Amino acid sequence: MRVTLKMIAEKAGTSIGTVDRALNNREGVSEESKARVLQVAEEMGYRPNKFASALSRKKIIRIGAAYPEEPADFYRDIDRGFDKALEELQYYGVVVEKIRYKTQDPEIARARLAQVDPADFDGLAINSAGAVNVSEIDRFVAAGTPVVTFNTDAPDSRRLFYVGNNSRQSGLMGGELLSLLLGGKGNVTILGNFSRATPFIERFGGFCEYAQLEAPDLRIYPCSECLSDPALAAKSLIDLIARVPDINGVFCTGYSSTVGALQAVKTLNRRDIKIVGYDLTERTAEALREGWCGALLYQDPCRQGLQAARLLVRHILEGWMPPRPRLHVDTRIIFKTNLDSYMDPQHEWLQSNL
């Protein structure tokens, strides 16, 4: 429980005004009273409220949030997270400026970040779009602007910490889910953006690890790189099924590949193919309701944006650092039976404030 000025005043037997003046080293309080207040504050474990101090100083704290515009269905939720952060933190003089670029392509991201002057911001939250952007992150940090990553990490950079999905664990969960849906055996494939974004590689690896150790009767067939293009993902899966008609399971490592896989099975009218997809939108929720998708993995993108902004501001104001460099937002499993609770706006509010 945070120790308040009122609590200190009651224990020290003085007024809140005297406590405030003593703690902030202002005039109007005797040395004896000041010593008493400081002693009581130390005994009670008082820590200054840096957020309140920022409010009293009227200092503007500028936060930059860099992330793609597409796929819009997914990044709309991250956008909401930063909007919530702005609504919550604006009373403390915090301004959140969005730095957007078209897609989660490392080169496009790097070109956009290269245009950003670190002197314009007190801190940056960056969707790193892969290891390619380590040099840009390090440029900001070298200039004295702290950086946190979210949604996609750049662990080899000088970023402070990462807020987002545990991608390897999600891959393990995807393997277990698909194995359960198929009774532990079948012909499966993995759709994703493998070569250009680290989370998709980690999810791919986690899935293969589970299959190797726990589900040896799952036979994995390779599928073409689909970048972040749903149409390319759909074509890749249709082409594979033409070669291997008895494919009966698909794990999708991201939202774009999930949309593409759903398009493919609908085109071929293959309801027998079990899909474990990624991310919750109106489109994927409809597929779950209609039975085209067996389960979705949910990484709570709104909470990722909100927490990245919250914790970055806390670092700027308080010097706070997390106990570990990777802060994982839990991956949740959504079935048709619990879908409605996740589509309820109150669910998003509750998760963001827990």
Side-chain angles (χ1 to χ4, degrees), residues 339-353:
L339 173 62
D340 287 345
S341 65
Y342 281 87
M343 298 301 288
D344 182 354
Q346 290 300 314
H347 171 85
E348 181 183 279
W349 183 89
L350 284 168
Q351 293 304 311
S352 297
N353 288 278

Side-chain angles (χ1 to χ4, degrees), residues 182-244:
L182 296 176
K185 60 183 179 180
N187 298 316
V188 304
T189 191
I190 309 169
L191 274 178
N193 181 12
F194 307 124
S195 67
R196 300 183 68 81
T198 305
F200 303 118
I201 300 170
E202 292 177 344
R203 292 168 194 163
F204 176 87
F207 183 94
C208 293
E209 181 180 344
Y210 182 87
Q212 182 181 36
L213 297 177
E214 305 290 343
D217 291 331
L218 287 183
R219 184 176 182 184
I220 301 175
Y221 284 82
C223 207
S224 300
E225 164 77 57
C226 67
L227 304 177
S228 292
D229 184 348
L232 184 55
K235 183 180 185 305
S236 297
L237 184 54
I238 289 171
D239 290 346
L240 175 63
I241 293 172
R243 299 193 306 273
V244 189

